[in-house]
Amino acid sequence: MGVRGVWRERPFRLLWCGLTASVAADHIFPIAVVVSLLRDGHSGSVVGVVLAGRLVALVTFAVFGGVWADRLPRRVVMTASQCSLLLIVTVAALWPSPEPVVLGVAVFLAGGTEAFFRPAFQACLASILPIRLHRAGIGLTSASWRLGAVAGSVTGALAVMLQSTQTALWLAAAGFMTGALLLRRVQEPPAAHEDRLPVSAEIREGVAEVSRRPWMATVISVTALHQTFIVAPAQVLLPVTTVSPYRSPLEGMYGLTLAALSLGGLIGALVATRLSPRRPGLVAMVALLPYGLVPLALMEPIVPGWVFTCYLLAGIGLEISAIEWIVGMLGTVRADRQARVASLEWMAALSMTPFALALTVPLSDLLGRAPFLAASAASALLPLLALLVPGLISFRSGCDGSSGTNGSASGPAAPGSESRTSPTRKDARPAN
């Protein structure tokens, strides 16, 4: 009933379709960049530095993206982001034989636009759906994210294998244009006008929402460590292992492996839509464990089937964990601060990832590929330690009281509740 109810909402359908197109383009773009660099003979270290640019931009602009997503109509922020990406990718496609510095600037600028898009999207989703449909809506948009990622990864892989990296860039541009056209039509509920605090004060409000909830700060810290020690090294070593200037037989594995990860995320999103766990924090932390198989799969000799399986399982767990976190956050943070909290989560979680991307190849060369990957796999056990933090198992703490945003429980509201979150309603406060 929840899924059918969500799909009846026209704003949600537009949001879902626009997101799918945008995510597909967003996965084609890095494949074109990475393959272009490696085919031109650049090293894995160069790839790591270029990819790190996106995360540097995310960390740099995340807080500001969250503030402006809480100040402006989220539809405007998302559409402007898509138009900016369209311009960036078009310039990269028209640039003859782009050097690493050109691609690095393009990736950095793309990360900057993403810092505004993500918190705006998450807050927009909460505002256009009744609270009782939040879990189903989050699950379906996560499925959209992964469906777009699968389509983008496969399309990008086929484009660079059968055509050229320029073709892949033009396909990415088409996806961003489609996303902009759809997202600009999303209509949010009218927001009440109220005086806004200075940007610095609104940033402090977002920080306060996290700091007074130890479980929330812990989840963000665990995500940061997970990104730094597992996701980032895999992001660099996967293409380094499978792509070469000589068109290795394994080259097609890069895009197809990313597609397997996204397919796993799609499965995980569909599973999470039907879950309503009593201990969401326990589910979220345990679901991160399968990603520890990914570093083991990248040890030589490479076995394609084993690699695909590990990435598939990692994607399932990662998406379940992410959805439980989003549902928990939306259920405890007041509506007009959700974009800021989402942006703070991204900023903190990704703060160390650029360094991890840049240092992966030097450290793996220094320590040896196998010991480096074994240490990466062992760090997957860190989420289990987080379960010792009070409140994390249930994603609730004393300051949350007995109700979440707009008086809802920590999960979706009970059936029959038709209230909607409004991003600037003064009475939309948790019982703290």
mmCIF file of all heavy atoms in Angstrom, residues 2-18:
data_model
loop_
_atom_site.group_PDB
_atom_site.id
_atom_site.type_symbol
_atom_site.label_atom_id
_atom_site.label_comp_id
_atom_site.label_asym_id
_atom_site.label_seq_id
_atom_site.Cartn_x
_atom_site.Cartn_y
_atom_site.Cartn_z
ATOM 1 N N GLY A 2 1.989 1.242 0.790
ATOM 2 C CA GLY A 2 2.865 2.391 0.864
ATOM 3 C C GLY A 2 3.469 2.741 -0.483
ATOM 4 O O GLY A 2 3.481 3.904 -0.886
ATOM 5 N N VAL A 3 3.946 1.738 -1.206
ATOM 6 C CA VAL A 3 4.568 1.976 -2.506
ATOM 7 C C VAL A 3 3.550 2.523 -3.498
ATOM 8 O O VAL A 3 3.820 3.482 -4.225
ATOM 9 C CB VAL A 3 5.214 0.682 -3.037
ATOM 10 C CG1 VAL A 3 5.691 0.873 -4.471
ATOM 11 C CG2 VAL A 3 6.379 0.269 -2.148
ATOM 12 N N ARG A 4 2.353 1.934 -3.515
ATOM 13 C CA ARG A 4 1.309 2.420 -4.421
ATOM 14 C C ARG A 4 0.891 3.839 -4.055
ATOM 15 O O ARG A 4 0.641 4.683 -4.926
ATOM 16 C CB ARG A 4 0.113 1.477 -4.409
ATOM 17 C CG ARG A 4 0.385 0.137 -5.066
ATOM 18 C CD ARG A 4 -0.915 -0.591 -5.347
ATOM 19 N NE ARG A 4 -1.626 -0.925 -4.124
ATOM 20 C CZ ARG A 4 -1.469 -2.053 -3.437
ATOM 21 N NH1 ARG A 4 -0.596 -2.950 -3.861
ATOM 22 N NH2 ARG A 4 -2.158 -2.287 -2.334
ATOM 23 N N GLY A 5 0.812 4.102 -2.741
ATOM 24 C CA GLY A 5 0.439 5.437 -2.307
ATOM 25 C C GLY A 5 1.457 6.481 -2.705
ATOM 26 O O GLY A 5 1.105 7.584 -3.132
ATOM 27 N N VAL A 6 2.727 6.146 -2.597
ATOM 28 C CA VAL A 6 3.797 7.071 -2.999
ATOM 29 C C VAL A 6 3.716 7.354 -4.490
ATOM 30 O O VAL A 6 3.843 8.503 -4.939
ATOM 31 C CB VAL A 6 5.178 6.483 -2.632
ATOM 32 C CG1 VAL A 6 6.292 7.270 -3.297
ATOM 33 C CG2 VAL A 6 5.379 6.487 -1.130
ATOM 34 N N TRP A 7 3.504 6.338 -5.268
ATOM 35 C CA TRP A 7 3.522 6.491 -6.726
ATOM 36 C C TRP A 7 2.330 7.289 -7.238
ATOM 37 O O TRP A 7 2.370 7.816 -8.353
ATOM 38 C CB TRP A 7 3.574 5.122 -7.391
ATOM 39 C CG TRP A 7 4.087 5.190 -8.797
ATOM 40 C CD1 TRP A 7 3.390 4.966 -9.941
ATOM 41 C CD2 TRP A 7 5.410 5.533 -9.199
ATOM 42 N NE1 TRP A 7 4.202 5.143 -11.035
ATOM 43 C CE2 TRP A 7 5.450 5.488 -10.613
ATOM 44 C CE3 TRP A 7 6.585 5.857 -8.511
ATOM 45 C CZ2 TRP A 7 6.605 5.771 -11.350
ATOM 46 C CZ3 TRP A 7 7.735 6.138 -9.230
ATOM 47 C CH2 TRP A 7 7.730 6.090 -10.633
ATOM 48 N N ARG A 8 1.274 7.414 -6.444
ATOM 49 C CA ARG A 8 0.130 8.229 -6.860
ATOM 50 C C ARG A 8 0.444 9.722 -6.796
ATOM 51 O O ARG A 8 -0.275 10.530 -7.369
ATOM 52 C CB ARG A 8 -1.080 7.927 -5.977
ATOM 53 C CG ARG A 8 -1.659 6.529 -6.163
ATOM 54 C CD ARG A 8 -3.014 6.430 -5.486
ATOM 55 N NE ARG A 8 -3.506 5.051 -5.487
ATOM 56 C CZ ARG A 8 -3.478 4.253 -4.429
ATOM 57 N NH1 ARG A 8 -2.988 4.699 -3.277
ATOM 58 N NH2 ARG A 8 -3.932 3.017 -4.490
ATOM 59 N N GLU A 9 1.493 10.096 -6.058
ATOM 60 C CA GLU A 9 1.847 11.502 -5.895
ATOM 61 C C GLU A 9 2.621 11.985 -7.122
ATOM 62 O O GLU A 9 3.732 11.526 -7.390
ATOM 63 C CB GLU A 9 2.697 11.690 -4.632
ATOM 64 C CG GLU A 9 2.046 11.191 -3.355
ATOM 65 C CD GLU A 9 1.052 12.199 -2.812
ATOM 66 O OE1 GLU A 9 1.082 13.360 -3.248
ATOM 67 O OE2 GLU A 9 0.245 11.807 -1.939
ATOM 68 N N ARG A 10 2.021 12.924 -7.887
ATOM 69 C CA ARG A 10 2.683 13.406 -9.108
ATOM 70 C C ARG A 10 4.043 14.048 -8.826
ATOM 71 O O ARG A 10 5.003 13.790 -9.564
ATOM 72 C CB ARG A 10 1.768 14.400 -9.841
ATOM 73 C CG ARG A 10 2.363 14.894 -11.167
ATOM 74 C CD ARG A 10 1.361 15.748 -11.920
ATOM 75 N NE ARG A 10 1.880 16.143 -13.237
ATOM 76 C CZ ARG A 10 2.630 17.219 -13.430
ATOM 77 N NH1 ARG A 10 2.938 18.015 -12.409
ATOM 78 N NH2 ARG A 10 3.065 17.516 -14.630
ATOM 79 N N PRO A 11 4.197 14.900 -7.795
ATOM 80 C CA PRO A 11 5.530 15.452 -7.529
ATOM 81 C C PRO A 11 6.578 14.372 -7.298
ATOM 82 O O PRO A 11 7.724 14.508 -7.733
ATOM 83 C CB PRO A 11 5.316 16.310 -6.273
ATOM 84 C CG PRO A 11 3.873 16.663 -6.303
ATOM 85 C CD PRO A 11 3.185 15.463 -6.877
ATOM 86 N N PHE A 12 6.151 13.284 -6.632
ATOM 87 C CA PHE A 12 7.114 12.206 -6.404
ATOM 88 C C PHE A 12 7.493 11.536 -7.713
ATOM 89 O O PHE A 12 8.673 11.200 -7.925
ATOM 90 C CB PHE A 12 6.535 11.164 -5.446
ATOM 91 C CG PHE A 12 7.471 10.000 -5.225
ATOM 92 C CD1 PHE A 12 8.508 10.086 -4.310
ATOM 93 C CD2 PHE A 12 7.335 8.833 -5.967
ATOM 94 C CE1 PHE A 12 9.393 9.031 -4.127
ATOM 95 C CE2 PHE A 12 8.209 7.773 -5.780
ATOM 96 C CZ PHE A 12 9.236 7.872 -4.863
ATOM 97 N N ARG A 13 6.543 11.315 -8.612
ATOM 98 C CA ARG A 13 6.874 10.674 -9.888
ATOM 99 C C ARG A 13 7.884 11.512 -10.679
ATOM 100 O O ARG A 13 8.818 10.976 -11.267
ATOM 101 C CB ARG A 13 5.600 10.447 -10.713
ATOM 102 C CG ARG A 13 4.623 9.470 -10.100
ATOM 103 C CD ARG A 13 3.604 8.973 -11.136
ATOM 104 N NE ARG A 13 2.845 10.052 -11.725
ATOM 105 C CZ ARG A 13 1.703 10.522 -11.230
ATOM 106 N NH1 ARG A 13 1.219 10.015 -10.104
ATOM 107 N NH2 ARG A 13 1.046 11.496 -11.838
ATOM 108 N N LEU A 14 7.672 12.822 -10.703
ATOM 109 C CA LEU A 14 8.626 13.700 -11.393
ATOM 110 C C LEU A 14 9.991 13.649 -10.721
ATOM 111 O O LEU A 14 11.030 13.602 -11.395
ATOM 112 C CB LEU A 14 8.096 15.134 -11.407
ATOM 113 C CG LEU A 14 6.881 15.405 -12.291
ATOM 114 C CD1 LEU A 14 6.318 16.788 -12.011
ATOM 115 C CD2 LEU A 14 7.262 15.279 -13.769
ATOM 116 N N LEU A 15 9.991 13.678 -9.390
ATOM 117 C CA LEU A 15 11.245 13.619 -8.648
ATOM 118 C C LEU A 15 11.974 12.310 -8.933
ATOM 119 O O LEU A 15 13.192 12.292 -9.160
ATOM 120 C CB LEU A 15 10.957 13.757 -7.153
ATOM 121 C CG LEU A 15 12.139 14.017 -6.220
ATOM 122 C CD1 LEU A 15 12.719 15.397 -6.447
ATOM 123 C CD2 LEU A 15 11.712 13.853 -4.762
ATOM 124 N N TRP A 16 11.230 11.223 -8.947
ATOM 125 C CA TRP A 16 11.812 9.892 -9.177
ATOM 126 C C TRP A 16 12.431 9.801 -10.569
ATOM 127 O O TRP A 16 13.572 9.354 -10.731
ATOM 128 C CB TRP A 16 10.724 8.834 -9.005
ATOM 129 C CG TRP A 16 11.215 7.424 -8.923
ATOM 130 C CD1 TRP A 16 11.522 6.735 -7.797
ATOM 131 C CD2 TRP A 16 11.464 6.534 -10.020
ATOM 132 N NE1 TRP A 16 11.939 5.461 -8.110
ATOM 133 C CE2 TRP A 16 11.925 5.311 -9.478
ATOM 134 C CE3 TRP A 16 11.350 6.661 -11.398
ATOM 135 C CZ2 TRP A 16 12.256 4.229 -10.266
ATOM 136 C CZ3 TRP A 16 11.699 5.566 -12.194
ATOM 137 C CH2 TRP A 16 12.135 4.376 -11.634
ATOM 138 N N CYS A 17 11.701 10.222 -11.589
ATOM 139 C CA CYS A 17 12.198 10.140 -12.967
ATOM 140 C C CYS A 17 13.374 11.085 -13.185
ATOM 141 O O CYS A 17 14.365 10.735 -13.854
ATOM 142 C CB CYS A 17 11.081 10.447 -13.955
ATOM 143 S SG CYS A 17 9.738 9.231 -13.958
ATOM 144 N N GLY A 18 13.286 12.296 -12.630
ATOM 145 C CA GLY A 18 14.387 13.233 -12.765
ATOM 146 C C GLY A 18 15.646 12.730 -12.094
ATOM 147 O O GLY A 18 16.757 12.871 -12.626
#
